[in-house]
Amino acid sequence: MRVVAVCVAAAVAVGGVVPVASAVDAGPEADLAYHGAAAMASGRVEVRFTPRNHGPSAVPDATVRLRWSEPLANRQVLPGGCARSGARVVLCRVGALAADGVGEEIGLRVRLRGEPSEVLLEIDTVWSAGVVDRNRENDRQRVLVLDTGDTYYF
C-alpha cells in the first residue's frame, strides 16, 4: 500500500494531477464535419452541404441546425427531413454516417423576411444519437452571405 501512495505522490509532484478512470462510459466517439456552399439573391438563400464523419465510430443518426441572423419568411417549402424550429432556425436530419464516411448532400432554399443585404448563417450539430464529438470546431460553421448572388464556400 505504501508503494501505491509513493507512486501517486510522485505523479502529483511531476504532473500536478493523477489521471483517474471515469466511472461513466462517455460512449462512442466520432468527428462530424460539414462543408458546402451558400448564396443569396433578393432575400432567397440557397444552401448545399455534405456531412462527413471522420470517425473513429459510426453515427447511427444525426441532426444539424441551420440558424440565420435574419428571420425567415413565414411560408417556406423545405425538403423532406427538414423542419422549421423557430423564426430563424431549420433542423435537418443528417441520417446515419459510417466511420470515415460521407453522407448525402443536404440542399435547401429559404426565403428571408424582406431583402437584407447580408445574412450570417450558422450550422452546427444538435443531436448525434449519443455519439460524442470532442472536436466541435469542424461541425460548427459560420458563413457571412452577401446578397450578391455570389457563392460562399465553407
Side-chain angles (χ1 to χ4, degrees), residues 28-35 49-54 58-67 85 89-97 106 121-142 154:
E29 185 176 341
D31 184 15
L32 299 177
Y34 305 105
H35 299 289
F49 61 95
T50 303
R52 180 175 179 110
N53 176 10
H54 294 286
V59 176
D61 202 1
T63 301
V64 65
R65 172 177 46 207
L66 295 94
R67 185 176 10 202
S85 177
V89 177
V90 172
L91 301 174
C92 292
R93 181 175 183 263
V94 171
L97 292 169
I106 297 171
L121 169 61
E122 296 177 295
I123 300 173
D124 66 327
T125 303
V126 292
W127 185 71
S128 57
V131 177
V132 178
D133 187 345
R134 295 194 200 307
N135 178 13
R136 296 303 309 268
E137 295 303 314
N138 57 356
D139 75 315
R140 293 180 179 162
Q141 299 286 349
R142 295 182 70 180
F154 55 89

Side-chain angles (χ1 to χ4, degrees), residues 37-38 45-47 65-69 119-123 141-145 154:
V45 183
E46 182 173 343
V47 181
R65 172 177 46 207
L66 295 94
R67 185 176 10 202
W68 286 267
S69 60
V119 66
L120 178 64
L121 169 61
E122 296 177 295
I123 300 173
Q141 299 286 349
R142 295 182 70 180
V143 185
L144 181 62
V145 185
F154 55 89

Side-chain angles (χ1 to χ4, degrees), residues 74-95:
N74 290 334
R75 295 183 62 184
Q76 299 290 330
V77 177
L78 298 172
C82 293
R84 193 139 174 205
S85 177
R88 300 169 190 227
V89 177
V90 172
L91 301 174
C92 292
R93 181 175 183 263
V94 171

